């Protein structure tokens, strides 16, 4: 069974607001069987250019779950906080 992944590349603008957002996201993942795979800070760019300093990877069972999570009222209600807290590029991958 192929999984789907959401990868977020992040530049934090307001650490307090980011902490609030980050603490609320896991509850939005549960109904969609989303699972945090990795969260980390950039140590080095080994090739090319990269603008962000944090990354998160979330695994879902499939793209329908990704879309369901992203479009859910629970997650959509967090987007204003995310926008105030950080510059985030969210990408979805079928894997």
């Amino acid at each position: 069974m192929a999984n789907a992944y959401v990868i977020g590349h992040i530049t934090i603008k307001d650490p307090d607001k980011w902490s609030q957002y980050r603490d609320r996201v896991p509850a939005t993942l549960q109904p969609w069987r989303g699972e945090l795979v990795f969260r980390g800070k950039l140590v080095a760019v080994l090739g090319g250019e990269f603008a962000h300093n944090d990354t998160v990877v979330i695994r879902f069972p499939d793209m329908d779950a990704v879309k369901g999570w992203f479009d859910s009222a629970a997650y959509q209600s967090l987007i204003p906080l995310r926008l105030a807290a950080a510059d985030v590029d969210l990408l979805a991958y079928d894997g």
Side-chain angles (χ1 to χ4, degrees):
M1 178 185 207
N3 291 306
Y5 297 86
V6 170
I7 299 177
H9 299 295
I10 305 151
T11 299
I12 298 169
K13 300 184 290 190
D14 184 322
D16 292 332
K17 288 181 181 175
W18 181 251
S19 180
Q20 292 172 41
Y21 168 81
R22 192 180 66 200
D23 290 347
R24 294 177 186 170
V25 169
T28 71
L29 299 172
Q30 291 174 356
W32 307 100
R33 297 186 354 233
E35 164 187 11
L36 179 66
V37 174
F38 171 82
R39 180 186 296 145
K41 294 195 176 297
L42 179 66
V43 175
V45 176
L46 302 176
E49 296 179 25
F50 192 72
H52 297 288
N53 50 22
D54 288 68
T55 295
V56 64
V57 178
I58 304 167
R59 179 177 36 236
F60 290 87
D62 52 39
M63 283 304 299
D64 287 340
V66 169
K67 291 174 187 171
W69 164 73
F70 186 81
D71 292 339
S72 71
Y75 184 70
Q76 287 293 309
S77 72
L78 294 180
I79 290 177
L81 181 57
R82 185 191 78 204
L83 293 172
D87 293 326
V88 179
D89 293 326
L90 278 182
L91 311 164
Y93 290 89
D94 202 6

